[in-house]
Amino acid sequence: KTCGYFTQRYGAILHEKENYQWTCKEFLNDSAINRGSTNIFPGSNGVSSITVFLQPQPNETPQGTGATLYNDTEYQGTSTGPYASNQSTLGDFSDKARSIKIDGNYMALLFRNANYTGACEVFRDDDPNLENNNVTTKDWFSIPPGKIDTVSSLKVISVRK
């Protein structure tokens, strides 16, 4: 969008389900969107909610260090990160994240599965307890029962706050 001397760059995250739930896809520029495509989420009814954000100007340097994940609630225990770029897998830290801190002008898309698949959730701010979020599920049939299945990949996006 152009307004006077200023040009604003917007990005969008499209969510398959309402209330910003289930799978999501990010679009960071105009060329990323195939204007005729209605097949963003194959096998579903399409897009049900949208997260819109302001992207930094091309000459802006991101402030802060990005996203850090912790294996316990309230930012306790072992951590991985901080990440200022995408991680298609979290390796040994997969399914262990219980809280997230966002430092600086970033937001994080957490994915339940590796390679940015499965349930997705957007975080613009810290969250001390991921166990009550959409990206997290409890497996009552696991041994021991109640094993928590959380994040296995993440995308980190520089934003203007």
Side-chain angles (χ1 to χ4, degrees):
K1 178 179 177 183
T2 303
C3 178
Y5 293 103
F6 301 99
T7 301
Q8 302 296 326
R9 296 166 28 125
Y10 291 91
I13 299 165
L14 307 181
H15 304 269
E16 180 181 6
K17 304 285 183 186
E18 57 189 42
N19 297 318
Y20 316 101
Q21 294 185 36
W22 203 236
T23 58
C24 65
K25 295 195 180 187
E26 83 280 359
F27 295 92
L28 303 179
N29 59 48
D30 233 10
S31 64
I33 299 174
N34 179 352
R35 286 185 167 70
S37 176
T38 57
N39 198 22
I40 293 172
F41 300 113
S44 79
N45 292 329
V47 176
S48 294
S49 51
I50 237 175
T51 300
V52 177
F53 57 94
L54 190 57
Q55 293 181 272
Q57 295 295 332
N59 60 348
E60 279 184 272
T61 302
Q63 302 297 310
T65 58
T68 303
L69 300 170
Y70 297 82
N71 72 345
D72 205 350
T73 59
E74 302 294 332
Y75 323 111
Q76 301 296 309
T78 305
S79 66
T80 186
Y83 297 110
S85 62
N86 298 344
Q87 304 296 311
S88 63
T89 180
L90 295 174
D92 291 343
F93 211 81
S94 289
D95 292 330
K96 293 182 181 174
R98 300 294 182 269
S99 54
I100 183 172
K101 275 196 173 206
I102 308 287
D103 178 57
N105 295 344
Y106 292 95
M107 69 181 197
L109 282 67
L110 302 184
F111 294 85
R112 188 173 299 153
N113 302 328
N115 299 312
Y116 320 116
T117 60
C120 167
E121 192 163 348
V122 176
F123 292 85
R124 295 176 187 239
D125 296 303
D126 301 347
D127 190 326
N129 187 358
L130 294 176
E131 294 177 12
N132 58 6
N133 291 74
N134 297 323
V135 74
T136 305
T137 60
K138 283 191 178 180
D139 182 357
W140 295 109
F141 300 103
S142 65
I143 299 175
K147 175 186 175 286
I148 297 173
D149 183 15
T150 66
V151 181
S152 292
S153 59
L154 81 137
K155 290 188 175 184
V156 182
I157 300 172
S158 178
V159 297
R160 292 185 84 188
K161 289 190 177 182

